[in-house]
Amino acid sequence: MAGEKIFRGLIWSLQKIIWFFFIPVYIVRLFYKHKSCPPIKNDLLFLTASTLAYKIRKKELKSETVVKCYIERISEVNPHLNAVVEDRFREALEEARQVENIVNSKLDEQEIEEQYPLLGVPITIKGSLAVEGLNHSTGMLLRNKIALKDADAVKRVKEAGAIVLLVSNTPELCLNWETTNKLIGTTRNPYDLRRTVGGSSGGEASLLSSGASIIGIGSDIAGSLRIPMHYCGVWGHKPSPRLISVEGHYPSCPEEEWPDVFQVGPVSRYASDLAMLFEIMVEPEMKSKLKKPIDLTKLKVYYLTEIRNILVSRVSTDTKEAVSKAVLHLESISKTSVCQEIDPKLLKFASEHSYLRLLMIDNVENLFSGKGEGAHLEFLRLLFWMSKSVFTTVGYGLLRWWSRVIPERCVKRTFKDIAVIKSKLLEFLDDQSVLVLPVFTREASPHGDVYKMLFNYGYCSIFNSLGFPSTCCPITRTSDGMPIGIQVVGAPNCDRLCLTVAKELERAFGGWVPPSADNNFLEMK
Ligand SMILES: *[C@@H]1O[C@H](CO)[C@@H](O)[C@H](O)[C@H]1NC(C)=O
């Protein structure tokens, strides 16, 4: 117990020291002006993926026109956002022309819809997932690989008729909540280029919210399908474990427990597309596991506004407001009159529990073998600017090495605590209820600030440890136009309920807002 207190004190002091080192950064920042990405001019870019698919199979719209339009938009915004790792525009255009063969075949509209629900619709893929023939380095200079075959999830969307346009940027090995690496550099937030897009599905978030992508695939081990979507005002769903195959992701891990905490999932600009894409990505034999969504008049709403822990920052007023707006709305359409805050103590140590849980997974592919062998040498290289890797990758190695000093009883207690949290949550979280809580303590920060708030990510990572599905839903914006999202969490395999609630929240609050749409906040700056 005393050891734990000293440890927490140390971490707290370290966080404060980091603030101090940031002083020069704060000064430099004063000289950067607010700039967002260019506005969207082509109306085609505002259509949902399901509308695009509908119009393409009805021959009202050519897939080639849609794909061309997206290629133009990507080429327009990418110099500002730096979100693309490698594209396949030529092949995509060729595939779009091939779509005509199916549209003009013997198949009628309904048959096309059943067999190819995404026929002719462009999609973007997070760079850590394998897309045959495209860069699969996951931001790592030392890896630098081309994928030989598609990841399972990519195969599913291709089979549904979607056309892959590109692979998007990730942090090195997905080990960061800021999308930056030595291969591509840093990806920027379309609403304010000075700010982070979060990570690790940051390239996807940036493209979706700038109107350069309509649907995509990402992955999540500690918030990666939710934090970037919250920072960029779009939708992301971290599924329940094992519904969607994680095969073909780098990094991967041979351990049995890996798919329990790590998930591949859908991301989108519109909530209705999120549900559709999710259904397409689920492995057919897992469909029977999914619970039916209920009528929202029967919904029971639980919420949590803030985790109080000295290592976690306070939740901003805007974030609290987003949670309460969503909760009040859901309460207003429900007839159950169950709407209550859960005991905040339950998730007090969410970050500590989930981080230790993740650190205990052996054999996750990374720069080092075993328990961080050679991490200290690499750290020395890093200090002298001689490393080809980045701080977070080396930091993970160091943490793995030092994890051997964590007493066995401490690890056991963490696992036990997580099991207790799970059973306590499941006492009230059934297939008719959701838990609403923040994705993060505030809106997107300037680049690099992630290192000052490492423990704030527990709001998301705890649901990886628990194996609960969670959907990131954009609800409001700050006075300077930055999006604020919330999480809608369900009991295991109640993904459809989370996605139904997401659609309702989009209907009520409008969801995604195009960058540069609201010139008021631009003029203020
Ligand atoms: C992957 O992409 C990066 C950035 O564009 C590039 O530098 C690297 O050479 C690519 N790797 C391969 C194997 O093509």
Side-chain angles (χ1 to χ4, degrees):
M1 277 303 160
E4 204 174 285
K5 280 225 170 93
I6 293 170
F7 172 76
R8 297 170 63 77
L10 266 174
I11 301 259
W12 183 85
S13 323
L14 254 175
Q15 282 193 331
K16 296 296 152 197
I17 292 169
I18 293 174
W19 277 89
F20 181 76
F21 278 102
F22 261 80
I23 291 173
V25 179
Y26 298 139
I27 295 170
V28 172
R29 273 177 195 166
L30 293 176
F31 296 94
Y32 280 91
K33 284 228 165 63
H34 178 278
K35 231 177 103 190
S36 54
C37 80
I40 303 174
K41 287 174 232 103
N42 195 329
D43 284 344
L44 208 55
L45 294 168
F46 288 99
L47 298 183
T48 65
S50 37
T51 309
L52 288 173
Y54 173 80
K55 283 181 180 285
I56 288 168
R57 64 177 173 259
K58 268 189 107 63
K59 303 187 198 176
E60 286 174 14
L61 189 61
K62 279 204 160 87
S63 169
E64 191 182 351
T65 315
V66 179
V67 168
K68 263 194 187 144
C69 177
Y70 271 94
I71 292 175
E72 264 167 36
R73 180 63 182 165
I74 294 162
S75 313
E76 182 184 15
V77 297
N78 197 51
H80 301 278
L81 305 178
N82 193 35
V84 179
V85 173
E86 189 177 5
D87 69 63
R88 58 190 295 281
F89 293 159
R90 201 144 29 104
E91 294 89 335
L93 279 168
E94 185 49 41
E95 287 165 20
R97 279 177 219 119
Q98 302 285 331
V99 164
E100 291 304 300
N101 296 342
I102 300 181
V103 173
N104 295 319
S105 71
K106 287 197 297 282
L107 297 178
D108 65 25
E109 259 172 65
Q110 203 186 340
E111 286 166 329
I112 295 180
E113 186 181 357
E114 274 159 23
Q115 285 179 42
Y116 308 104
L118 288 175
L119 185 67
V121 177
I123 191 168
T124 54
I125 312 285
K126 178 180 182 177
S128 54
L129 282 147
V131 176
E132 191 187 322
L134 292 192
N135 207 308
H136 192 208
S137 310
T138 315
M140 195 159 169
L141 209 53
L142 287 165
R143 177 170 152 84
N144 224 349
K145 277 224 168 85
I146 298 290
L148 298 176
K149 64 181 223 206
D150 289 330
D152 283 353
V154 174
K155 215 177 341 171
R156 291 242 170 270
V157 297
K158 277 190 176 175
E159 278 164 7
I163 297 176
V164 175
L165 297 183
L166 56 85
V167 284
S168 64
N169 203 18
T170 66
E172 183 171 300
L173 290 169
C174 296
L175 278 176
N176 197 347
W177 293 288
E178 165 93 73
T179 296
T180 184
N181 59 55
K182 288 192 172 167
L183 260 182
I184 309 287
T186 305
T187 300
R188 300 181 201 96
N189 194 306
Y191 294 93
D192 182 347
L193 303 179
R194 300 168 300 181
R195 300 196 203 215
T196 183
V197 288
S200 61
S201 311
E204 285 304 302
S206 188
L207 291 168
L208 286 168
S209 76
S210 61
S213 174
I214 185 73
I215 46 172
I217 304 182
S219 59
D220 189 319
I221 193 159
S224 299
L225 279 162
R226 294 160 282 164
I227 284 154
M229 309 308 138
H230 151 70
Y231 284 165
C232 295
V234 290
W235 305 81
H237 180 67
K238 183 207 90 71
S240 304
R242 299 175 190 269
L243 296 175
I244 294 174
S245 166
V246 299
E247 204 58 43
H249 190 272
Y250 183 85
S252 178
C253 167
E255 303 295 325
E256 181 71 24
E257 59 183 337
W258 176 245
D260 289 330
V261 289
F262 170 77
Q263 280 91 40
V264 168
V267 291
S268 68
R269 191 142 28 93
Y270 300 107
S272 52
D273 289 338
L274 195 65
M276 175 187 62
L277 186 57
F278 169 74
E279 295 292 336
I280 290 167
M281 289 168 68
V282 172
E283 293 288 299
E285 71 272 17
M286 299 305 280
K287 289 244 164 163
S288 58
K289 283 230 155 67
L290 281 169
K291 300 268 172 30
K292 274 214 185 77
I294 50 139
D295 176 354
L296 294 188
T297 57
K298 299 195 189 98
L299 187 71
K300 289 180 273 181
V301 185
Y302 298 92
Y303 62 95
L304 174 69
T305 316
E306 184 165 34
I307 291 173
R308 298 294 294 273
N309 173 325
I310 72 159
L311 299 181
V312 181
S313 325
R314 298 301 304 271
V315 164
S316 74
T317 318
D318 289 318
T319 309
K320 282 184 185 157
E321 201 182 286
V323 170
S324 76
K325 272 188 171 171
V327 168
L328 283 176
H329 176 72
L330 294 175
E331 189 190 16
S332 76
I333 54 171
S334 166
K335 298 201 166 68
T336 60
S337 74
V338 179
C339 181
Q340 69 190 64
E341 176 142 32
I342 66 164
D343 181 1
K345 281 201 213 85
L346 201 54
L347 295 183
K348 180 162 185 186
F349 299 109
S351 318
E352 290 91 326
H353 285 140
S354 50
Y355 292 177
L356 190 55
R357 168 79 187 85
L358 291 179
L359 200 57
M360 285 301 131
I361 304 175
D362 288 324
N363 300 315
V364 181
E365 288 170 311
N366 74 104
L367 187 58
F368 313 103
S369 58
K371 269 192 188 283
E373 308 307 333
H376 290 84
L377 191 63
E378 194 61 34
F379 182 61
L380 273 182
R381 285 204 200 103
L382 192 78
L383 286 182
F384 291 98
W385 299 97
M386 283 161 63
S387 176
K388 289 199 159 121
S389 233
V390 295
F391 170 71
T392 44
T393 303
V394 180
Y396 174 74
L398 289 177
L399 284 175
R400 282 280 297 163
W401 198 92
W402 284 95
S403 72
R404 59 188 93 202
V405 308
I406 302 171
E408 183 63 26
R409 65 181 157 75
C410 192
V411 176
K412 274 202 180 127
R413 209 183 61 221
T414 298
F415 276 81
K416 207 179 115 208
D417 285 349
I418 292 172
V420 169
I421 297 172
K422 186 166 181 168
S423 70
K424 285 205 171 146
L425 283 174
L426 288 177
E427 276 170 23
F428 55 85
L429 205 61
D430 56 15
D431 53 10
Q432 310 200 1
S433 43
V434 289
L435 170 63
V436 173
L437 77 166
V439 176
F440 196 70
T441 54
R442 51 164 291 163
E443 73 279 16
S445 305
H447 289 290
D449 277 12
V450 44
Y451 305 109
K452 295 187 304 192
M453 26 197 199
L454 287 174
F455 282 78
N456 294 6
Y457 296 88
Y459 283 95
C460 283
S461 57
I462 188 67
F463 296 106
N464 295 80
S465 298
L466 295 168
F468 288 12
S470 167
T471 309
C472 168
C473 309
I475 302 291
T476 55
R477 297 201 294 162
T478 62
S479 58
D480 51 1
M482 296 308 294
I484 304 261
I486 53 138
Q487 289 184 86
V488 173
V489 174
N493 298 323
C494 292
D495 300 61
R496 285 173 177 157
L497 178 59
C498 300
L499 292 164
T500 307
V501 169
K503 275 190 226 174
E504 176 55 33
L505 292 174
E506 180 176 62
R507 203 188 56 75
F509 299 103
W512 168 75
V513 173
S516 339
D518 174 2
N519 286 315
N520 287 337
F521 78 83
L522 290 181
E523 277 158 19
M524 266 165 37
K525 292 264 153 174

